[in-house]
Amino acid sequence: MSALADRRRPLRRHLTSLLLAAVVYEGLARSGAFAPALLPSLASIAGALFDGLLDGTLPVHALSTLYRVLLGLALAIGIALPLGILMGRYRPIEGFFLPLASALMPIPSLAWVPLFLLWFGLGNATAIGIVCYAAVFPMLLNAWSGVRAVNPLWLRVANAMGAGERTLFWKVIVPGSFPFLLAGLRQAFLRAWIAVVGAEMLAASDWGLGWIIFDAKEFLKADVMLAALAVIGLIGFAFERLVFGALERLTVERWGMLRAGKG
Amino acid sequence: MQSVGSAMASAPASQRWSTRWHTLAATALPFVVVGALWEIVAHLAIFPARLFPPLETIASAFLRLTVSGVLPHHAADTVLRLVSGFALAAIVGVAIGIVMGRWRLAEDLALPLVSMGAPIPGIAYAPLFLLWFGLGNVSSILLVGFVSAFPIIFNTWTGVKAVKEVWVRAALAMGADDRRLFHKVILPGALPHILTGLRLGLAQAWRILIGVEMLAAVPWGLGWMIFGAREFLNTDVMLAGVVVIGAIGLALEKGVFKRLEDFTVVRWGMMT
């Protein structure tokens, strides 16, 4: 059996499994045992997806969700990255911020929604604040432990070769902790993605994928809901695979750190 | 770390006491500083007191609600919902994961579905579940179970696949039947992964549950309490609720799983 056929086999099985699930679902939907408004057929979900794409509402919803996620994520990185690195490098800063972070971390980001609604009002500011809160902690903890995990031997070697504090930072500490920073970014995005959908439902902001799903419930449009769910899953999947996968290949994998880390 | 431990053990009692006091003070300091800043901002009345209450108002709200039994009732209902949803996910998830790990056909059928469902944020399913199962407890428990099942399935599956083939063959050679093989080799061998999955599942269940309680209009529950308090601008009640949520989250993280791990895999020498 050639290598190509070997690689194709799981793909064929995956397709079989998805097809089977689709057939079972379609059979249930068409059997009439459940109301079609609650369990729409695949054709009507696809139709809802198509309508949304054609009249341009779905892209606008998706873009406003992405805008909130990316802005909140950027804000979180802006706070967490410098703070995490400082915590990893300087003992007193670590001693001050670590207890605070461990106390705030177990509070789910959605628990802040009502409070943020009162403070910032309905709309974008609340959603972005919630996203930022959700994303800050994974980033912070990973930056902190990444800096601490840099091999002390490398630091001493760089020092012995006469590296200044600035060179040490850019040439040793940043690349050395990069696998952790990437892992933090990944986790932060996942959390942010959950938070934005929840925040959009609760903070009713007229646009956004979370809001369509919530709004569709009022009108019993299960097909619109499922179409929006598919888009949410697709964007999350695309970020996970394409963006973070590419980032990893371009940096740590090219520097040979992933293999070194595993070996 | 070890040298510190032995130094502490050999030090006289008074010195050990002062070291412990020192760590306690170091942990408390940041909270005191942040608390003081909060008090100053609150008392300067930069923001309206209704929106930014001083700490003593929050504490008195907490005390009032605790004494009247409202807060404990909310908290108990939330924990009950969490436990029932999570128990559902643990039973179903571990079962599916083991079946996927042992039988090729089940793996091929289930894996694409599981990996498609996993990246969708659980809260996005909430309105769908509300539509299907109605407002209230049933849909919130089912949703919590559904969401926390994914990491449990994934990790159980990985754990069963990670059981060393040599162990299985050795057990078979020594005449273990299927049941013995499962109880004595596969389950203990996969347990570190299963526990990781359970821990991740519980964390996810906790994060989702608070949001679901706000959406599902349940009669009692911490999420509902803080969301309802918004209508009356009761910021102090909200903040007291957030504190309780944080405390429960911390207890789940530190208390439950650390114990379970110490009791099983650490004791068996599979993890340190």
Side-chain angles (χ1 to χ4, degrees):
Chain A
M1 197 182 258
S2 70
L4 190 67
D6 230 28
R7 224 180 313 144
R8 267 190 195 150
R9 203 187 57 106
L11 185 71
R12 209 171 52 220
R13 292 217 173 173
H14 284 190
L15 286 180
T16 325
S17 145
L18 293 182
L19 209 67
L20 206 70
V23 168
V24 170
Y25 178 87
E26 193 71 10
L28 271 179
R30 303 221 171 202
S31 69
F34 305 96
L38 296 184
L39 202 68
S41 69
L42 288 175
S44 68
I45 298 172
L49 194 61
F50 232 71
D51 286 348
L53 284 177
L54 279 185
D55 65 11
T57 50
L58 209 51
V60 177
H61 283 300
L63 282 178
S64 39
T65 299
L66 271 178
Y67 162 74
R68 284 180 199 125
V69 160
L70 293 180
L71 201 62
L73 200 61
L75 222 59
I77 293 171
I79 297 167
L81 201 57
L83 190 59
I85 290 174
L86 286 176
M87 274 167 64
R89 290 290 286 165
Y90 301 106
R91 248 339 192 352
I93 298 182
E94 177 183 339
F96 187 83
F97 284 103
L98 198 59
L100 287 179
S102 348
L104 287 177
M105 206 168 30
I107 303 175
S109 51
L110 290 179
W112 293 103
V113 169
L115 198 68
F116 279 27
L117 276 176
L118 280 189
W119 283 352
F120 306 123
L122 285 172
N124 266 336
T126 297
I128 292 168
I130 295 295
V131 168
C132 179
Y133 183 89
V136 129
F137 294 106
M139 200 65 226
L140 185 73
L141 286 193
N142 275 288
W144 168 65
S145 45
V147 170
R148 284 169 45 115
V150 170
N151 194 337
L153 202 64
W154 298 349
L155 293 179
R156 263 193 278 160
V157 168
N159 262 329
M161 290 193 280
E165 188 68 22
R166 174 177 301 223
T167 334
L168 195 70
F169 179 75
W170 286 112
K171 299 276 173 182
V172 182
I173 294 174
V174 169
S177 54
F178 219 83
F180 283 84
L181 300 184
L182 272 185
L185 193 63
R186 248 191 183 152
Q187 275 174 33
F189 178 80
L190 272 179
R191 294 269 180 94
W193 197 231
I194 297 173
V196 79
V197 173
E200 282 176 351
M201 287 182 185
L202 293 164
S205 42
D206 282 7
W207 290 100
L209 293 168
W211 190 78
I212 325 180
I213 297 183
F214 194 65
D215 187 52
K217 186 178 74 100
E218 308 285 306
F219 302 102
L220 278 182
K221 284 194 206 148
D223 48 350
V224 175
M225 276 163 130
L226 285 163
L229 263 176
V231 174
I232 290 175
L234 220 63
I235 295 178
F237 183 78
F239 260 90
E240 171 64 27
R241 281 294 157 92
L242 302 180
V243 179
F244 294 125
L247 220 62
E248 213 168 66
R249 270 196 305 282
L250 278 177
T251 55
V252 283
E253 218 164 285
R254 208 170 55 129
W255 302 337
M257 292 193 52
L258 229 48
R259 230 170 308 136
K262 273 174 191 157
Chain B
M1 213 52 201
Q2 231 161 15
S3 64
V4 172
S6 59
M8 266 171 69
S10 61
S14 63
Q15 208 177 324
R16 211 184 323 157
W17 179 243
S18 83
T19 325
R20 201 178 298 165
W21 201 84
H22 197 83
T23 2
L24 191 72
T27 318
L29 176 74
F31 295 101
V32 173
V33 171
V34 172
L37 281 177
W38 181 284
E39 276 297 85
I40 291 169
V41 173
H43 281 289
L44 281 181
I46 304 170
F47 307 107
R50 282 230 74 101
L51 295 186
F52 205 91
L55 291 178
E56 60 266 20
T57 317
I58 300 171
S60 85
F62 177 78
L63 219 68
R64 194 181 69 232
L65 291 171
T66 311
V67 169
S68 67
V70 175
L71 195 59
H73 190 171
H74 281 300
D77 267 33
T78 296
V79 171
L80 198 67
R81 226 166 265 139
L82 181 75
V83 169
S84 25
F86 177 69
L88 206 70
I91 294 167
V92 175
V94 170
I96 293 180
I98 287 175
V99 169
M100 275 169 65
R102 291 297 290 166
W103 284 287
R104 198 55 200 276
L105 182 68
E107 179 181 339
D108 283 336
L109 283 181
L111 194 58
L113 296 179
V114 174
S115 32
M116 244 178 60
I120 300 180
I123 193 87
Y125 293 103
L128 199 66
F129 273 60
L130 292 179
L131 210 58
W132 283 348
F133 305 109
L135 288 171
N137 266 327
V138 178
S139 39
S140 53
I141 290 173
L142 281 180
L143 186 66
V144 167
F146 180 77
V147 168
S148 58
F150 284 105
I152 299 176
I153 294 176
F154 258 119
N155 280 283
T156 307
W157 168 67
T158 319
V160 172
K161 298 281 272 193
V163 172
K164 286 197 182 107
E165 197 52 43
V166 184
W167 297 351
V168 176
R169 264 189 271 159
L172 285 176
M174 289 190 276
D177 52 16
D178 260 354
R179 173 176 302 221
R180 297 266 300 267
L181 184 72
F182 180 75
H183 275 290
K184 301 275 176 184
V185 181
I186 292 173
L187 200 58
L191 204 60
H193 285 271
I194 295 179
L195 285 180
T196 308
L198 291 177
R199 185 204 293 251
L200 289 174
L202 188 66
Q204 226 168 85
W206 179 239
R207 277 201 294 274
I208 293 298
L209 177 61
I210 299 299
V212 172
E213 283 185 345
M214 295 181 191
L215 291 166
V218 289
W220 291 91
L222 289 170
W224 175 241
M225 183 185 96
I226 54 178
F227 199 62
R230 191 178 64 103
E231 309 282 309
F232 308 102
L233 285 183
N234 281 336
T235 320
D236 47 350
V237 174
M238 270 153 104
L239 283 165
V242 168
V243 170
V244 175
I245 289 173
I248 295 177
L250 201 65
L252 289 176
E253 217 168 276
K254 296 276 145 94
V256 180
F257 275 98
K258 194 81 193 46
R259 292 268 171 76
L260 203 62
E261 245 170 38
D262 285 346
F263 198 68
T264 54
V265 283
V266 174
R267 206 170 53 129
W268 301 339
M270 295 183 59
M271 247 162 73
T272 48

